[in-house]
Amino acid sequence: MSLSGRTALVTGAGRGIGRAIAVQLADAGVRSAVVARTEAELDETVRLVNRRGGTAVAISADLSAHGSAAEVVDRAVDALGPVDILVNNAAVVQPLGSTAELDIATWSAAFDVNVFAAVALALAVVPKMVEGGWGRVANVSSGVVARPGFMVGGNAYAATKAALEAHTLNLAEEVRDTGVTVNVYRPGTVDTGMQAWIREHGEGRLSVATYTRFVDYHANSSLISPEHSAGSLLTRLADSATGQVWDVNDQL
Ligand SMILES: NC(=O)c1ccc[n+]([C@@H]2O[C@H](COP(=O)([O-])OP(=O)(O)OC[C@H]3O[C@@H](n4cnc5c(N)ncnc54)[C@H](OP(=O)(O)O)[C@@H]3O)[C@@H](O)[C@H]2O)c1
């Protein structure tokens, strides 16, 4: 089964895993609306896609703002037509810190991007996908959901990803047998800005053991590339499997 000729909306596509997904979707013949806040990074993603002969349009938006998802989808549809593939990849890892010391507003901000934006985008595109009898939703999660106690000082992040996975698997059942698949993707430990941010800001916020692990990932060169991670998602996206938790480390 091929994705060629389809249209995607990829969030968090200004850098890291999202950018690599957009580029590899272009290689698969998919046109993408790429979404993030930082225009210069989106422009670079568009340039990379164009250089490979693909099509991408940049949509600069803050997905934490309520109402932004519907507006983003309208802009994507105006530019490229109906969205066939939604990749909810945008996320923040903050707030990091001892749970008792964190302001609940910072949890709320994390849920706005990591969960509510993904849900709102799904609400905006899934009905049309069902109507058309074909669609793909992939929600980028984290291995932390399998081991929530493994990231001490990252309680909010772990909770957002667990919520995202529950939403994903529940939605998958709701639309089963419609031609629309909905899956979780755990991308691995990837050499991106998010990892750099944790190394820079995690000391004293994460537990010593957790922080040391993040520093060691980098020092030991055990981080995988965004391209490697994106490639693993792309090999599964066309398939009709639904309601699954895909992990980059799965044996395919
Ligand atoms: N890197 C890893 O090791 C790792 C491990 C497990 C899971 N993940 C997951 O993989 C996904 C991608 O992570 P990454 O490492 O590539 O992160 P990244 O390099 O920090 O990129 C995150 C992207 O999300 C966008 N974003 C963040 N907040 C946004 C907002 N309010 N509105 C719109 N866009 C927003 C960022 O752009 P702007 O800042 O310009 O808005 C950026 O394009 C995330 O879901 C992350 O949780 C990553």
Side-chain angles (χ1 to χ4, degrees), residues 11-18 35-38 41 61-64 88-92 113 140-143 157 161 187-195 223:
T11 70
R15 56 179 185 262
I17 299 165
V35 186
R37 289 167 299 186
T38 311
E41 292 185 347
D62 181 355
L63 289 168
S64 70
N88 280 309
N89 165 80
V92 291
V113 185
V140 180
S141 179
S142 165
Y157 181 72
K161 292 301 190 182
T189 312
V190 191
D191 193 5
T192 67
M194 185 177 280
Q195 284 282 333
L223 296 169

PDB file of all heavy atoms in Angstrom, residues 11-18 35-38 41 61-64 88-92 113 140-143 157 161 187-195 223, ligand 1:
ATOM      1  N   THR A  11       2.785  18.101  12.878  1.00  0.00           N
ATOM      2  CA  THR A  11       3.076  19.142  13.871  1.00  0.00           C
ATOM      3  C   THR A  11       4.487  18.956  14.428  1.00  0.00           C
ATOM      4  O   THR A  11       5.047  17.856  14.408  1.00  0.00           O
ATOM      5  CB  THR A  11       2.054  19.137  15.028  1.00  0.00           C
ATOM      6  OG1 THR A  11       2.247  17.971  15.833  1.00  0.00           O
ATOM      7  CG2 THR A  11       0.636  19.198  14.517  1.00  0.00           C
ATOM      8  N   GLY A  12       5.042  20.066  14.887  1.00  0.00           N
ATOM      9  CA  GLY A  12       6.407  20.019  15.404  1.00  0.00           C
ATOM     10  C   GLY A  12       7.397  19.678  14.321  1.00  0.00           C
ATOM     11  O   GLY A  12       8.414  19.024  14.566  1.00  0.00           O
ATOM     12  N   ALA A  13       7.121  20.148  13.115  1.00  0.00           N
ATOM     13  CA  ALA A  13       7.946  19.768  11.954  1.00  0.00           C
ATOM     14  C   ALA A  13       9.009  20.806  11.636  1.00  0.00           C
ATOM     15  O   ALA A  13       9.610  20.785  10.566  1.00  0.00           O
ATOM     16  CB  ALA A  13       7.061  19.522  10.741  1.00  0.00           C
ATOM     17  N   GLY A  14       9.275  21.722  12.563  1.00  0.00           N
ATOM     18  CA  GLY A  14      10.312  22.723  12.330  1.00  0.00           C
ATOM     19  C   GLY A  14      11.710  22.186  12.578  1.00  0.00           C
ATOM     20  O   GLY A  14      12.706  22.794  12.140  1.00  0.00           O
ATOM     21  N   ARG A  15      11.798  21.100  13.297  1.00  0.00           N
ATOM     22  CA  ARG A  15      13.117  20.538  13.594  1.00  0.00           C
ATOM     23  C   ARG A  15      12.923  19.089  14.053  1.00  0.00           C
ATOM     24  O   ARG A  15      11.787  18.600  14.132  1.00  0.00           O
ATOM     25  CB  ARG A  15      13.848  21.349  14.670  1.00  0.00           C
ATOM     26  CG  ARG A  15      13.078  21.492  15.967  1.00  0.00           C
ATOM     27  CD  ARG A  15      13.851  22.293  17.020  1.00  0.00           C
ATOM     28  NE  ARG A  15      13.142  22.314  18.289  1.00  0.00           N
ATOM     29  CZ  ARG A  15      12.356  23.304  18.713  1.00  0.00           C
ATOM     30  NH1 ARG A  15      12.186  24.384  17.963  1.00  0.00           N
ATOM     31  NH2 ARG A  15      11.746  23.231  19.885  1.00  0.00           N
ATOM     32  N   GLY A  16      14.030  18.429  14.346  1.00  0.00           N
ATOM     33  CA  GLY A  16      13.989  17.126  15.001  1.00  0.00           C
ATOM     34  C   GLY A  16      13.211  16.067  14.231  1.00  0.00           C
ATOM     35  O   GLY A  16      13.268  15.979  13.004  1.00  0.00           O
ATOM     36  N   ILE A  17      12.484  15.269  15.000  1.00  0.00           N
ATOM     37  CA  ILE A  17      11.781  14.113  14.426  1.00  0.00           C
ATOM     38  C   ILE A  17      10.704  14.572  13.442  1.00  0.00           C
ATOM     39  O   ILE A  17      10.529  13.973  12.374  1.00  0.00           O
ATOM     40  CB  ILE A  17      11.164  13.265  15.562  1.00  0.00           C
ATOM     41  CG1 ILE A  17      12.264  12.748  16.502  1.00  0.00           C
ATOM     42  CG2 ILE A  17      10.374  12.093  14.993  1.00  0.00           C
ATOM     43  CD1 ILE A  17      11.760  12.215  17.846  1.00  0.00           C
ATOM     44  N   GLY A  18       9.993  15.644  13.774  1.00  0.00           N
ATOM     45  CA  GLY A  18       8.915  16.130  12.903  1.00  0.00           C
ATOM     46  C   GLY A  18       9.429  16.562  11.542  1.00  0.00           C
ATOM     47  O   GLY A  18       8.811  16.262  10.513  1.00  0.00           O
ATOM     48  N   VAL A  35       3.823  22.319  10.782  1.00  0.00           N
ATOM     49  CA  VAL A  35       3.345  23.260  11.804  1.00  0.00           C
ATOM     50  C   VAL A  35       4.324  23.337  12.969  1.00  0.00           C
ATOM     51  O   VAL A  35       4.819  22.316  13.448  1.00  0.00           O
ATOM     52  CB  VAL A  35       1.969  22.801  12.351  1.00  0.00           C
ATOM     53  CG1 VAL A  35       1.403  23.853  13.312  1.00  0.00           C
ATOM     54  CG2 VAL A  35       0.994  22.507  11.225  1.00  0.00           C
ATOM     55  N   ALA A  36       4.590  24.546  13.413  1.00  0.00           N
ATOM     56  CA  ALA A  36       5.362  24.825  14.633  1.00  0.00           C
ATOM     57  C   ALA A  36       5.246  26.333  14.856  1.00  0.00           C
ATOM     58  O   ALA A  36       4.574  27.028  14.083  1.00  0.00           O
ATOM     59  CB  ALA A  36       6.818  24.403  14.488  1.00  0.00           C
ATOM     60  N   ARG A  37       5.910  26.831  15.905  1.00  0.00           N
ATOM     61  CA  ARG A  37       5.864  28.278  16.142  1.00  0.00           C
ATOM     62  C   ARG A  37       6.961  29.019  15.370  1.00  0.00           C
ATOM     63  O   ARG A  37       6.762  30.121  14.890  1.00  0.00           O
ATOM     64  CB  ARG A  37       6.014  28.567  17.643  1.00  0.00           C
ATOM     65  CG  ARG A  37       4.808  28.176  18.460  1.00  0.00           C
ATOM     66  CD  ARG A  37       5.121  28.194  19.932  1.00  0.00           C
ATOM     67  NE  ARG A  37       6.186  27.238  20.264  1.00  0.00           N
ATOM     68  CZ  ARG A  37       6.609  26.935  21.473  1.00  0.00           C
ATOM     69  NH1 ARG A  37       6.065  27.547  22.511  1.00  0.00           N
ATOM     70  NH2 ARG A  37       7.561  26.050  21.667  1.00  0.00           N
ATOM     71  N   THR A  38       8.130  28.415  15.257  1.00  0.00           N
ATOM     72  CA  THR A  38       9.309  29.138  14.760  1.00  0.00           C
ATOM     73  C   THR A  38       9.354  29.123  13.230  1.00  0.00           C
ATOM     74  O   THR A  38       9.658  28.092  12.605  1.00  0.00           O
ATOM     75  CB  THR A  38      10.593  28.505  15.340  1.00  0.00           C
ATOM     76  OG1 THR A  38      10.426  28.362  16.752  1.00  0.00           O
ATOM     77  CG2 THR A  38      11.806  29.364  15.049  1.00  0.00           C
ATOM     78  N   GLU A  41      12.522  27.940  11.244  1.00  0.00           N
ATOM     79  CA  GLU A  41      12.732  26.485  11.221  1.00  0.00           C
ATOM     80  C   GLU A  41      11.768  25.809  10.243  1.00  0.00           C
ATOM     81  O   GLU A  41      12.145  24.870   9.525  1.00  0.00           O
ATOM     82  CB  GLU A  41      12.571  25.912  12.641  1.00  0.00           C
ATOM     83  CG  GLU A  41      13.691  26.373  13.569  1.00  0.00           C
ATOM     84  CD  GLU A  41      13.654  25.739  14.954  1.00  0.00           C
ATOM     85  OE1 GLU A  41      12.639  25.119  15.311  1.00  0.00           O
ATOM     86  OE2 GLU A  41      14.644  25.900  15.688  1.00  0.00           O
ATOM     87  N   ALA A  61       2.136  28.435  13.975  1.00  0.00           N
ATOM     88  CA  ALA A  61       1.037  28.548  14.939  1.00  0.00           C
ATOM     89  C   ALA A  61       1.485  28.028  16.289  1.00  0.00           C
ATOM     90  O   ALA A  61       2.309  27.117  16.364  1.00  0.00           O
ATOM     91  CB  ALA A  61      -0.171  27.736  14.463  1.00  0.00           C
ATOM     92  N   ASP A  62       0.914  28.605  17.327  1.00  0.00           N
ATOM     93  CA  ASP A  62       1.148  28.103  18.684  1.00  0.00           C
ATOM     94  C   ASP A  62       0.012  27.151  19.026  1.00  0.00           C
ATOM     95  O   ASP A  62      -1.110  27.566  19.287  1.00  0.00           O
ATOM     96  CB  ASP A  62       1.192  29.274  19.675  1.00  0.00           C
ATOM     97  CG  ASP A  62       1.452  28.794  21.101  1.00  0.00           C
ATOM     98  OD1 ASP A  62       1.496  27.560  21.327  1.00  0.00           O
ATOM     99  OD2 ASP A  62       1.614  29.660  21.974  1.00  0.00           O
ATOM    100  N   LEU A  63       0.321  25.864  19.014  1.00  0.00           N
ATOM    101  CA  LEU A  63      -0.728  24.857  19.216  1.00  0.00           C
ATOM    102  C   LEU A  63      -1.233  24.811  20.651  1.00  0.00           C
ATOM    103  O   LEU A  63      -2.227  24.147  20.927  1.00  0.00           O
ATOM    104  CB  LEU A  63      -0.204  23.477  18.784  1.00  0.00           C
ATOM    105  CG  LEU A  63      -0.032  23.313  17.273  1.00  0.00           C
ATOM    106  CD1 LEU A  63       0.771  22.048  16.961  1.00  0.00           C
ATOM    107  CD2 LEU A  63      -1.381  23.268  16.566  1.00  0.00           C
ATOM    108  N   SER A  64      -0.552  25.516  21.550  1.00  0.00           N
ATOM    109  CA  SER A  64      -1.047  25.532  22.932  1.00  0.00           C
ATOM    110  C   SER A  64      -2.239  26.480  23.075  1.00  0.00           C
ATOM    111  O   SER A  64      -2.952  26.442  24.074  1.00  0.00           O
ATOM    112  CB  SER A  64       0.061  25.920  23.911  1.00  0.00           C
ATOM    113  OG  SER A  64       0.397  27.276  23.753  1.00  0.00           O
ATOM    114  N   ASN A  88       0.697  13.889  14.904  1.00  0.00           N
ATOM    115  CA  ASN A  88       0.801  14.765  16.078  1.00  0.00           C
ATOM    116  C   ASN A  88       2.144  14.486  16.743  1.00  0.00           C
ATOM    117  O   ASN A  88       2.283  13.513  17.496  1.00  0.00           O
ATOM    118  CB  ASN A  88      -0.341  14.460  17.058  1.00  0.00           C
ATOM    119  CG  ASN A  88      -1.642  15.120  16.650  1.00  0.00           C
ATOM    120  OD1 ASN A  88      -1.685  16.325  16.391  1.00  0.00           O
ATOM    121  ND2 ASN A  88      -2.701  14.339  16.576  1.00  0.00           N
ATOM    122  N   ASN A  89       3.101  15.342  16.438  1.00  0.00           N
ATOM    123  CA  ASN A  89       4.475  15.131  16.909  1.00  0.00           C
ATOM    124  C   ASN A  89       4.935  16.247  17.848  1.00  0.00           C
ATOM    125  O   ASN A  89       5.827  16.036  18.665  1.00  0.00           O
ATOM    126  CB  ASN A  89       5.382  15.028  15.675  1.00  0.00           C
ATOM    127  CG  ASN A  89       6.845  15.181  16.002  1.00  0.00           C
ATOM    128  OD1 ASN A  89       7.497  14.254  16.452  1.00  0.00           O
ATOM    129  ND2 ASN A  89       7.382  16.394  15.801  1.00  0.00           N
ATOM    130  N   ALA A  90       4.326  17.424  17.750  1.00  0.00           N
ATOM    131  CA  ALA A  90       4.762  18.567  18.588  1.00  0.00           C
ATOM    132  C   ALA A  90       4.584  18.236  20.061  1.00  0.00           C
ATOM    133  O   ALA A  90       3.580  17.652  20.460  1.00  0.00           O
ATOM    134  CB  ALA A  90       3.957  19.815  18.245  1.00  0.00           C
ATOM    135  N   ALA A  91       5.577  18.597  20.847  1.00  0.00           N
ATOM    136  CA  ALA A  91       5.473  18.393  22.297  1.00  0.00           C
ATOM    137  C   ALA A  91       6.520  19.237  22.991  1.00  0.00           C
ATOM    138  O   ALA A  91       7.503  19.675  22.385  1.00  0.00           O
ATOM    139  CB  ALA A  91       5.677  16.917  22.654  1.00  0.00           C
ATOM    140  N   VAL A  92       6.286  19.438  24.262  1.00  0.00           N
ATOM    141  CA  VAL A  92       7.304  20.052  25.125  1.00  0.00           C
ATOM    142  C   VAL A  92       7.608  19.070  26.251  1.00  0.00           C
ATOM    143  O   VAL A  92       6.732  18.301  26.666  1.00  0.00           O
ATOM    144  CB  VAL A  92       6.835  21.399  25.702  1.00  0.00           C
ATOM    145  CG1 VAL A  92       6.741  22.457  24.602  1.00  0.00           C
ATOM    146  CG2 VAL A  92       5.500  21.267  26.436  1.00  0.00           C
ATOM    147  N   VAL A 113      -0.229  21.462  24.808  1.00  0.00           N
ATOM    148  CA  VAL A 113       0.488  21.096  23.573  1.00  0.00           C
ATOM    149  C   VAL A 113       0.471  19.578  23.372  1.00  0.00           C
ATOM    150  O   VAL A 113       0.121  19.084  22.294  1.00  0.00           O
ATOM    151  CB  VAL A 113       1.969  21.552  23.621  1.00  0.00           C
ATOM    152  CG1 VAL A 113       2.658  21.267  22.285  1.00  0.00           C
ATOM    153  CG2 VAL A 113       2.080  23.010  23.964  1.00  0.00           C
ATOM    154  N   VAL A 140       2.777  10.835  18.288  1.00  0.00           N
ATOM    155  CA  VAL A 140       4.138  10.549  18.744  1.00  0.00           C
ATOM    156  C   VAL A 140       4.185  10.645  20.265  1.00  0.00           C
ATOM    157  O   VAL A 140       3.945  11.696  20.855  1.00  0.00           O
ATOM    158  CB  VAL A 140       5.156  11.496  18.082  1.00  0.00           C
ATOM    159  CG1 VAL A 140       6.559  11.173  18.576  1.00  0.00           C
ATOM    160  CG2 VAL A 140       5.077  11.385  16.556  1.00  0.00           C
ATOM    161  N   SER A 141       4.493   9.522  20.874  1.00  0.00           N
ATOM    162  CA  SER A 141       4.484   9.423  22.327  1.00  0.00           C
ATOM    163  C   SER A 141       5.920   9.291  22.827  1.00  0.00           C
ATOM    164  O   SER A 141       6.838   9.943  22.309  1.00  0.00           O
ATOM    165  CB  SER A 141       3.618   8.223  22.730  1.00  0.00           C
ATOM    166  OG  SER A 141       3.599   8.075  24.128  1.00  0.00           O
ATOM    167  N   SER A 142       6.117   8.448  23.808  1.00  0.00           N
ATOM    168  CA  SER A 142       7.453   8.267  24.384  1.00  0.00           C
ATOM    169  C   SER A 142       7.506   6.930  25.109  1.00  0.00           C
ATOM    170  O   SER A 142       6.491   6.490  25.685  1.00  0.00           O
ATOM    171  CB  SER A 142       7.730   9.398  25.373  1.00  0.00           C
ATOM    172  OG  SER A 142       8.841   9.075  26.184  1.00  0.00           O
ATOM    173  N   GLY A 143       8.678   6.345  25.128  1.00  0.00           N
ATOM    174  CA  GLY A 143       8.893   5.116  25.881  1.00  0.00           C
ATOM    175  C   GLY A 143       8.663   5.305  27.369  1.00  0.00           C
ATOM    176  O   GLY A 143       8.519   4.319  28.107  1.00  0.00           O
ATOM    177  N   TYR A 157       5.503  15.432  31.924  1.00  0.00           N
ATOM    178  CA  TYR A 157       5.740  14.874  30.585  1.00  0.00           C
ATOM    179  C   TYR A 157       5.216  13.439  30.519  1.00  0.00           C
ATOM    180  O   TYR A 157       4.500  13.069  29.575  1.00  0.00           O
ATOM    181  CB  TYR A 157       7.241  14.923  30.279  1.00  0.00           C
ATOM    182  CG  TYR A 157       7.619  14.399  28.911  1.00  0.00           C
ATOM    183  CD1 TYR A 157       7.326  15.127  27.761  1.00  0.00           C
ATOM    184  CD2 TYR A 157       8.292  13.186  28.769  1.00  0.00           C
ATOM    185  CE1 TYR A 157       7.687  14.651  26.501  1.00  0.00           C
ATOM    186  CE2 TYR A 157       8.668  12.712  27.522  1.00  0.00           C
ATOM    187  CZ  TYR A 157       8.369  13.447  26.387  1.00  0.00           C
ATOM    188  OH  TYR A 157       8.732  12.974  25.147  1.00  0.00           O
ATOM    189  N   LYS A 161       2.095  12.040  28.081  1.00  0.00           N
ATOM    190  CA  LYS A 161       2.252  10.990  27.060  1.00  0.00           C
ATOM    191  C   LYS A 161       1.342   9.802  27.354  1.00  0.00           C
ATOM    192  O   LYS A 161       0.818   9.171  26.435  1.00  0.00           O
ATOM    193  CB  LYS A 161       3.721  10.577  26.962  1.00  0.00           C
ATOM    194  CG  LYS A 161       4.636  11.676  26.389  1.00  0.00           C
ATOM    195  CD  LYS A 161       4.225  12.105  24.986  1.00  0.00           C
ATOM    196  CE  LYS A 161       5.260  13.010  24.329  1.00  0.00           C
ATOM    197  NZ  LYS A 161       4.841  13.472  22.988  1.00  0.00           N
ATOM    198  N   PRO A 187       9.184   7.065  19.563  1.00  0.00           N
ATOM    199  CA  PRO A 187      10.251   7.292  18.573  1.00  0.00           C
ATOM    200  C   PRO A 187      11.656   6.897  19.004  1.00  0.00           C
ATOM    201  O   PRO A 187      12.589   7.012  18.211  1.00  0.00           O
ATOM    202  CB  PRO A 187      10.186   8.799  18.356  1.00  0.00           C
ATOM    203  CG  PRO A 187       9.734   9.338  19.677  1.00  0.00           C
ATOM    204  CD  PRO A 187       8.777   8.315  20.238  1.00  0.00           C
ATOM    205  N   GLY A 188      11.825   6.444  20.255  1.00  0.00           N
ATOM    206  CA  GLY A 188      13.180   6.111  20.708  1.00  0.00           C
ATOM    207  C   GLY A 188      13.849   7.308  21.359  1.00  0.00           C
ATOM    208  O   GLY A 188      13.217   8.334  21.631  1.00  0.00           O
ATOM    209  N   THR A 189      15.125   7.169  21.598  1.00  0.00           N
ATOM    210  CA  THR A 189      15.914   8.223  22.242  1.00  0.00           C
ATOM    211  C   THR A 189      16.716   8.886  21.136  1.00  0.00           C
ATOM    212  O   THR A 189      17.671   8.309  20.619  1.00  0.00           O
ATOM    213  CB  THR A 189      16.797   7.596  23.336  1.00  0.00           C
ATOM    214  OG1 THR A 189      15.974   6.729  24.132  1.00  0.00           O
ATOM    215  CG2 THR A 189      17.387   8.650  24.236  1.00  0.00           C
ATOM    216  N   VAL A 190      16.298  10.106  20.781  1.00  0.00           N
ATOM    217  CA  VAL A 190      16.674  10.676  19.489  1.00  0.00           C
ATOM    218  C   VAL A 190      17.478  11.965  19.677  1.00  0.00           C
ATOM    219  O   VAL A 190      17.145  12.794  20.542  1.00  0.00           O
ATOM    220  CB  VAL A 190      15.399  10.960  18.652  1.00  0.00           C
ATOM    221  CG1 VAL A 190      15.780  11.291  17.209  1.00  0.00           C
ATOM    222  CG2 VAL A 190      14.431   9.781  18.695  1.00  0.00           C
ATOM    223  N   ASP A 191      18.467  12.142  18.848  1.00  0.00           N
ATOM    224  CA  ASP A 191      19.368  13.296  18.937  1.00  0.00           C
ATOM    225  C   ASP A 191      18.683  14.549  18.372  1.00  0.00           C
ATOM    226  O   ASP A 191      18.803  14.857  17.183  1.00  0.00           O
ATOM    227  CB  ASP A 191      20.650  12.983  18.152  1.00  0.00           C
ATOM    228  CG  ASP A 191      21.748  13.980  18.466  1.00  0.00           C
ATOM    229  OD1 ASP A 191      21.545  14.844  19.340  1.00  0.00           O
ATOM    230  OD2 ASP A 191      22.813  13.883  17.831  1.00  0.00           O
ATOM    231  N   THR A 192      17.962  15.247  19.236  1.00  0.00           N
ATOM    232  CA  THR A 192      17.195  16.420  18.809  1.00  0.00           C
ATOM    233  C   THR A 192      17.379  17.564  19.804  1.00  0.00           C
ATOM    234  O   THR A 192      18.010  17.396  20.855  1.00  0.00           O
ATOM    235  CB  THR A 192      15.680  16.101  18.765  1.00  0.00           C
ATOM    236  OG1 THR A 192      15.258  15.876  20.120  1.00  0.00           O
ATOM    237  CG2 THR A 192      15.368  14.903  17.906  1.00  0.00           C
ATOM    238  N   GLY A 193      16.722  18.677  19.483  1.00  0.00           N
ATOM    239  CA  GLY A 193      16.749  19.823  20.375  1.00  0.00           C
ATOM    240  C   GLY A 193      16.164  19.503  21.743  1.00  0.00           C
ATOM    241  O   GLY A 193      16.592  20.077  22.754  1.00  0.00           O
ATOM    242  N   MET A 194      15.190  18.599  21.774  1.00  0.00           N
ATOM    243  CA  MET A 194      14.579  18.261  23.064  1.00  0.00           C
ATOM    244  C   MET A 194      15.598  17.603  23.990  1.00  0.00           C
ATOM    245  O   MET A 194      15.676  17.923  25.181  1.00  0.00           O
ATOM    246  CB  MET A 194      13.362  17.340  22.859  1.00  0.00           C
ATOM    247  CG  MET A 194      12.610  17.041  24.142  1.00  0.00           C
ATOM    248  SD  MET A 194      11.134  16.029  23.894  1.00  0.00           S
ATOM    249  CE  MET A 194       9.958  17.264  23.327  1.00  0.00           C
ATOM    250  N   GLN A 195      16.397  16.700  23.437  1.00  0.00           N
ATOM    251  CA  GLN A 195      17.444  16.056  24.244  1.00  0.00           C
ATOM    252  C   GLN A 195      18.473  17.100  24.701  1.00  0.00           C
ATOM    253  O   GLN A 195      18.929  17.073  25.847  1.00  0.00           O
ATOM    254  CB  GLN A 195      18.147  14.956  23.426  1.00  0.00           C
ATOM    255  CG  GLN A 195      17.329  13.685  23.271  1.00  0.00           C
ATOM    256  CD  GLN A 195      17.352  12.806  24.510  1.00  0.00           C
ATOM    257  OE1 GLN A 195      18.292  12.839  25.286  1.00  0.00           O
ATOM    258  NE2 GLN A 195      16.304  12.014  24.695  1.00  0.00           N
ATOM    259  N   LEU A 223      22.246   8.010  21.147  1.00  0.00           N
ATOM    260  CA  LEU A 223      21.045   8.621  20.569  1.00  0.00           C
ATOM    261  C   LEU A 223      20.932   8.211  19.100  1.00  0.00           C
ATOM    262  O   LEU A 223      21.944   8.169  18.388  1.00  0.00           O
ATOM    263  CB  LEU A 223      21.140  10.148  20.671  1.00  0.00           C
ATOM    264  CG  LEU A 223      21.158  10.721  22.087  1.00  0.00           C
ATOM    265  CD1 LEU A 223      21.525  12.202  22.064  1.00  0.00           C
ATOM    266  CD2 LEU A 223      19.805  10.522  22.762  1.00  0.00           C
TER     267      LEU A 223
HETATM  268  N1  LIG B   1      13.998  13.315  21.251  1.00  0.00           N
HETATM  269  C1  LIG B   1      13.701  12.242  21.971  1.00  0.00           C
HETATM  270  O1  LIG B   1      14.607  11.535  22.480  1.00  0.00           O
HETATM  271  C2  LIG B   1      12.281  11.844  22.193  1.00  0.00           C
HETATM  272  C3  LIG B   1      12.041  10.714  22.989  1.00  0.00           C
HETATM  273  C4  LIG B   1      10.720  10.304  23.179  1.00  0.00           C
HETATM  274  C5  LIG B   1       9.692  11.020  22.596  1.00  0.00           C
HETATM  275  N2  LIG B   1       9.958  12.122  21.853  1.00  0.00           N
HETATM  276  C6  LIG B   1       8.819  12.816  21.254  1.00  0.00           C
HETATM  277  O2  LIG B   1       9.068  13.051  19.882  1.00  0.00           O
HETATM  278  C7  LIG B   1       8.392  14.238  19.447  1.00  0.00           C
HETATM  279  C8  LIG B   1       9.366  15.166  18.749  1.00  0.00           C
HETATM  280  O3  LIG B   1      10.384  15.481  19.662  1.00  0.00           O
HETATM  281  P1  LIG B   1      11.778  16.139  19.238  1.00  0.00           P
HETATM  282  O4  LIG B   1      12.792  15.480  20.079  1.00  0.00           O
HETATM  283  O5  LIG B   1      11.911  16.191  17.754  1.00  0.00           O
HETATM  284  O6  LIG B   1      11.546  17.612  19.838  1.00  0.00           O
HETATM  285  P2  LIG B   1      12.069  19.064  19.404  1.00  0.00           P
HETATM  286  O7  LIG B   1      13.333  18.977  18.655  1.00  0.00           O
HETATM  287  O8  LIG B   1      12.022  19.878  20.636  1.00  0.00           O
HETATM  288  O9  LIG B   1      10.913  19.546  18.421  1.00  0.00           O
HETATM  289  C9  LIG B   1       9.640  19.806  18.910  1.00  0.00           C
HETATM  290  C10 LIG B   1       8.798  20.459  17.839  1.00  0.00           C
HETATM  291  O10 LIG B   1       7.512  20.771  18.421  1.00  0.00           O
HETATM  292  C11 LIG B   1       7.222  22.150  18.163  1.00  0.00           C
HETATM  293  N3  LIG B   1       6.390  22.724  19.215  1.00  0.00           N
HETATM  294  C12 LIG B   1       6.647  22.747  20.548  1.00  0.00           C
HETATM  295  N4  LIG B   1       5.708  23.467  21.177  1.00  0.00           N
HETATM  296  C13 LIG B   1       4.837  23.900  20.234  1.00  0.00           C
HETATM  297  C14 LIG B   1       3.672  24.718  20.258  1.00  0.00           C
HETATM  298  N5  LIG B   1       3.204  25.264  21.391  1.00  0.00           N
HETATM  299  N6  LIG B   1       3.035  24.952  19.088  1.00  0.00           N
HETATM  300  C15 LIG B   1       3.508  24.435  17.931  1.00  0.00           C
HETATM  301  N7  LIG B   1       4.597  23.672  17.845  1.00  0.00           N
HETATM  302  C16 LIG B   1       5.262  23.420  18.976  1.00  0.00           C
HETATM  303  C17 LIG B   1       8.606  22.800  18.114  1.00  0.00           C
HETATM  304  O11 LIG B   1       8.620  24.012  17.397  1.00  0.00           O
HETATM  305  P3  LIG B   1       8.526  25.466  18.069  1.00  0.00           P
HETATM  306  O12 LIG B   1       9.293  25.437  19.353  1.00  0.00           O
HETATM  307  O13 LIG B   1       9.086  26.351  17.019  1.00  0.00           O
HETATM  308  O14 LIG B   1       7.064  25.699  18.267  1.00  0.00           O
HETATM  309  C18 LIG B   1       9.401  21.756  17.336  1.00  0.00           C
HETATM  310  O15 LIG B   1       9.193  21.898  15.942  1.00  0.00           O
HETATM  311  C19 LIG B   1       7.770  14.818  20.717  1.00  0.00           C
HETATM  312  O16 LIG B   1       6.433  14.397  20.800  1.00  0.00           O
HETATM  313  C20 LIG B   1       8.571  14.189  21.836  1.00  0.00           C
HETATM  314  O17 LIG B   1       7.856  14.142  23.056  1.00  0.00           O
HETATM  315  C21 LIG B   1      11.228  12.548  21.647  1.00  0.00           C
END
